[in-house]
Amino acid sequence: RRREADLRLRRATSLAALSRATEALEDLDRAIALDPKEIGAYELRGALRRDTGDPRGSTEDDEKVELLRNGFQRVYQTAIDAC
């Protein structure tokens, strides 16, 4: 699942560079469904949503990115503190 999510994210990145936002968004939705902790997919989807006139969706993705980043930072800090 994680490998397919990574492939979808890579393809979405290429599609976005080709100004094929609709297709890129479809791949990003699938990547997120496969790996809901993939920060890069939320970052790109948020940017594409902003660019395509979906500010609410963009804000939701931006919030998810911050939530995931903060969660990873807490886990990392806990691991460091345990050493």
Side-chain angles (χ1 to χ4, degrees):
R1 294 186 80 176
R2 188 174 194 106
R3 185 177 191 291
E4 184 181 345
D6 183 58
L7 292 172
R8 294 278 183 159
L9 174 55
R10 289 174 189 242
R11 187 167 76 173
T13 301
S14 296
L15 290 166
L18 296 170
S19 299
R20 293 167 59 183
T22 301
E23 293 166 273
L25 286 166
E26 290 171 4
D27 273 348
L28 291 166
D29 289 343
R30 183 68 181 138
I32 290 167
L34 291 165
D35 185 1
K37 294 182 181 177
E38 176 52 66
I39 292 173
Y42 288 104
E43 289 174 324
L44 181 56
R45 190 174 73 174
L48 287 173
R49 284 177 160 182
R50 191 171 16 265
D51 292 347
T52 58
D54 181 6
R56 178 175 286 152
S58 177
T59 298
E60 289 172 4
D61 285 340
D62 292 345
E63 290 171 356
K64 186 66 175 184
V65 167
E66 288 306 309
L67 184 76
L68 288 170
R69 280 198 178 128
N70 290 335
F72 287 137
Q73 288 173 355
R74 279 194 300 274
V75 169
Y76 181 72
Q77 189 60 51
T78 300
I80 289 173
D81 292 344
C83 291

